[in-house]
Amino acid sequence: MQAWVNKLWYQGHPLRFALWPLSLLFAVITGCRRQLFRLGLKKAIKFPVPVIIVGNITVGGSGKTPTVIYLIELLRKHGFNPGVISRGYGVEIDGVRAVLPEDTPSSVGDEPAMIVSRTGVPMVVGAKRVDAANLLLEKFDVDIIISDDGLQHYQLGRDIELIILDGERRLGNGMLLPSGPLREGAWRLQTVDHIIVNGGDAQSGEQQMLLEPTKWLPVSSKHDESLPPTLSQPLVAMAGIGNPQRFFDTLQAQGYCVEHAQAFDDHSTYSETALNQLANGRLLVMTEKDAVKCRDFAKDNWWYLAVDAKLSPSFDKQLLAKIDRLVADK
């Protein structure tokens, strides 16, 4: 399904024009909703601490999760106690709930499970982000909230908006859903605090972000045998993220010998049987987001490549200065 959608949105498939009436309807519905908030007929809920939205105007992965992790580490380094809220994509959550270190991706979502596993940050997930933020403030000692996605969730009051763009795909065919990948028009880029471009080349006024590979880590929680991949070893690579090719390109750019690359849809679930068949006894490598879904049944020769987001010191300085002003005002 994801491969077909990519053709429609990013490779100029002619069917996009047949879907244009539905895109027009989507534009009317979302525009009316925004207008209700502008007129005050719907109210945005403000919070006593700064709220940072890390979102995008395109559907699919663009690098939000690495950005959230980067912000967590940056804020902690400067004395803040951040907390995170998220939808918990792909899982049914009754109300809102805190994410615990032992929670599985099937109960809280793959990205929340990954964020908490990596950082130990206080985190609450649920469909209603206002309720998630309230529980986060009630349950944890946090002084700043990061919303993983939620740019279009206008009931959630926000102080800083960050849009993450895939630098290679950018806005695709530039059309709204379902003809294209856009949740909102390109005009929305002019209204946010920063546009962060993941990969590719940042344009004037945008912030460049790079995802730098750091080290290989075992997928299995009981790993005790095999050694990390070397450049001379043939690899079977898999990725179930928004843009799987980015992971495969990273491996090839580092000089690894990718014998077979298997792309999965974003947020895919995996079975031990299917991945054993894919690996067929060979060394299997994957992304960190995939790894959190495989750790309970992974073999010793399954590894994931940890990556860290890198942004410029000028971005850090601008963001922290605005946060300091917000804290003083609040």
Side-chain angles (χ1 to χ4, degrees):
M1 178 63 178
Q2 186 166 310
W4 184 86
V5 169
N6 286 339
K7 289 182 180 179
L8 178 66
W9 291 349
Y10 299 106
Q11 297 174 24
H13 196 288
L15 182 59
R16 67 191 188 278
F17 297 114
L19 295 174
W20 181 81
L22 294 177
S23 295
L24 181 60
L25 177 62
F26 179 79
V28 171
I29 293 171
T30 55
C32 289
R33 184 171 176 273
R34 284 191 299 268
Q35 190 65 14
L36 290 175
F37 281 97
R38 290 193 191 102
L39 296 174
L41 299 177
K42 282 183 173 286
K43 298 289 186 182
I45 307 301
K46 290 291 187 178
F47 295 92
V49 301
V51 176
I52 303 174
I53 300 284
V54 179
N56 58 19
I57 60 171
T58 58
V59 173
S62 56
K64 292 187 300 295
T65 301
T67 307
V68 168
I69 292 171
Y70 179 89
L71 293 175
I72 292 167
E73 295 172 348
L74 174 68
L75 291 168
R76 283 174 169 171
K77 191 185 302 181
H78 288 83
F80 293 97
N81 296 313
V84 179
I85 60 173
S86 178
R87 167 66 179 85
Y89 184 89
V91 297
E92 291 296 328
I93 297 171
D94 184 16
V96 294
R97 56 161 294 186
V99 180
L100 304 175
E102 61 269 23
D103 281 327
T104 62
S106 61
S107 62
V108 296
D110 47 16
E111 287 151 347
M114 172 185 160
I115 290 169
V116 170
S117 175
R118 168 80 88 98
T119 68
V121 72
M123 187 166 189
V124 174
V125 294
K128 295 184 177 180
R129 287 179 176 83
V130 169
D131 292 348
N134 283 327
L135 182 62
L136 184 68
L137 292 174
E138 175 188 325
K139 196 174 180 70
F140 300 100
D141 179 24
V142 302
D143 52 20
I144 189 164
I145 295 173
I146 303 168
S147 178
D148 180 13
D149 214 351
L151 188 69
Q152 290 77 33
H153 196 90
Y154 286 105
Q155 188 183 29
L156 178 67
R158 69 281 309 268
D159 301 287
I160 296 173
E161 291 182 329
L162 308 178
I163 277 184
I164 317 301
L165 280 184
D166 184 317
E168 296 172 356
R169 294 179 169 187
R170 295 194 69 88
L171 303 183
N173 62 19
M175 301 177 75
L176 291 172
L177 290 166
S179 299
L182 299 189
R183 303 172 180 179
E184 297 183 278
W187 60 268
R188 190 68 167 86
L189 298 176
Q190 310 304 316
T191 68
V192 300
D193 294 271
H194 293 283
I195 301 168
I196 297 173
V197 177
N198 177 19
D201 295 318
Q203 298 178 4
S204 176
E206 299 175 344
Q207 300 285 344
Q208 185 75 63
M209 180 175 78
L210 299 175
L211 297 183
E212 294 188 354
T214 57
K215 57 185 174 181
W216 289 105
L217 293 168
V219 177
S220 173
S221 57
K222 301 176 183 178
H223 173 85
D224 60 9
E225 288 184 17
S226 84
L227 296 175
T230 63
L231 294 180
S232 61
Q233 286 179 287
L235 307 178
V236 176
M238 57 169 280
I241 56 177
N243 185 359
Q245 190 60 44
R246 182 188 297 280
F247 177 62
F248 305 143
D249 290 344
T250 296
L251 295 176
Q252 292 176 339
Q254 290 196 304
Y256 288 100
C257 177
V258 179
E259 188 173 83
H260 176 70
Q262 180 65 54
F264 293 93
D265 286 350
D266 198 9
H267 303 289
S268 288
T269 56
Y270 305 115
S271 72
E272 181 176 3
T273 300
L275 294 191
N276 280 335
Q277 291 175 348
L278 174 64
N280 194 23
R282 298 169 293 182
L283 195 151
L284 179 66
V285 299
M286 62 188 73
T287 71
E288 187 170 0
K289 191 167 88 166
D290 296 311
V292 298
K293 293 179 281 189
C294 303
R295 58 190 172 195
D296 291 337
F297 57 80
K299 306 304 179 186
D300 280 343
N301 64 340
W302 295 10
W303 295 81
Y304 72 88
L305 183 60
V307 298
D308 287 341
K310 298 294 181 185
L311 284 125
S312 69
S314 65
F315 167 79
D316 295 353
K317 184 177 179 181
Q318 292 174 53
L319 182 69
L320 291 166
K322 180 158 188 177
I323 292 171
D324 286 340
R325 293 194 298 271
L326 289 167
V327 170
D329 291 342
K330 287 179 180 286

